[in-house]
Amino acid sequence: MSGDEMNPAAVAQAVEDIQGDDRWMAQHTRFVQECKDAEPEVLFIGDSMVQLMQQYEIWRELFSPLHALNFGIGGDTTCNVLWRLQNGELDNIGPKVTVVWVGTNNHEHSAEQVAGGILAIAQLLTSRLPKTKVVVLGHQIIQRK
């Protein structure tokens, strides 16, 4: 992609409520409220890979004592995470570390676009939370021959 092209994976976008139950927005609103009520040392943000971490014992053993917040929503793309971060999920918090794990659901984007979307998230985090360390987790794709 040339520098003057708009990367579609780096455009903030809320999820369209096709089920009509406002579930995604309700989760986002809960996360914004948690920012007002908590002082996390660690913030996890991303898609279902992040969301599911809370179901495992390792979360309770290692991350709960750090007052970790889990802002994972299943199905989210880089666009959705960008929108959430721009709309309140970083307000009133100053974690020491923010862990980002997203990109699995960017089916309509190329690998280069997804990488650009993740970079946009990391840049937003470092500009809004200048004292936090940002850790980006990746996915390994294994192809069978």
Side-chain angles (χ1 to χ4, degrees):
M1 268 182 359
S2 67
D4 57 349
E5 284 183 52
M6 176 59 84
N7 179 357
V11 175
Q13 180 179 353
V15 168
E16 182 183 349
D17 185 22
I18 56 176
Q19 284 86 17
D21 62 3
D22 211 26
R23 183 179 322 172
W24 185 85
M25 190 58 72
Q27 284 182 288
H28 167 67
T29 302
R30 181 173 54 87
F31 294 160
V32 171
Q33 185 59 46
E34 285 184 40
C35 289
K36 295 176 184 174
D37 299 337
E39 294 181 19
E41 292 183 41
V42 181
L43 171 65
F44 287 84
I45 188 142
D47 54 29
S48 62
M49 303 303 284
V50 170
Q51 185 179 26
L52 293 172
M53 289 175 65
Q54 285 184 297
Q55 296 180 9
Y56 294 94
E57 184 65 28
I58 195 164
W59 181 269
R60 290 180 288 282
E61 289 178 12
L62 298 179
F63 299 116
S64 288
L66 299 174
H67 308 285
L69 289 179
N70 184 317
F71 288 179
I73 298 180
D76 265 10
T77 64
T78 54
C79 305
N80 308 137
V81 169
L82 274 169
W83 188 92
R84 293 193 288 122
L85 295 177
Q86 291 173 357
N87 288 277
E89 290 187 16
L90 298 178
D91 295 351
N92 307 307
I93 59 172
K96 293 178 182 177
V97 178
T98 299
V99 180
V100 178
W101 197 3
V102 68
T104 304
N105 300 305
N106 285 70
H107 307 292
E108 70 277 7
H109 301 123
S110 69
E112 181 181 45
Q113 290 170 333
V114 175
I118 294 168
L119 180 60
I121 291 167
Q123 289 171 333
L124 176 63
L125 288 166
T126 56
S127 70
R128 294 278 307 275
L129 303 172
K131 294 182 179 179
T132 195
K133 302 281 187 217
V134 177
V135 176
V136 177
L137 301 180
H139 303 276
Q140 182 174 356
I141 299 172
I142 300 172
Q143 294 181 337
R144 295 183 182 183
K145 294 183 179 188

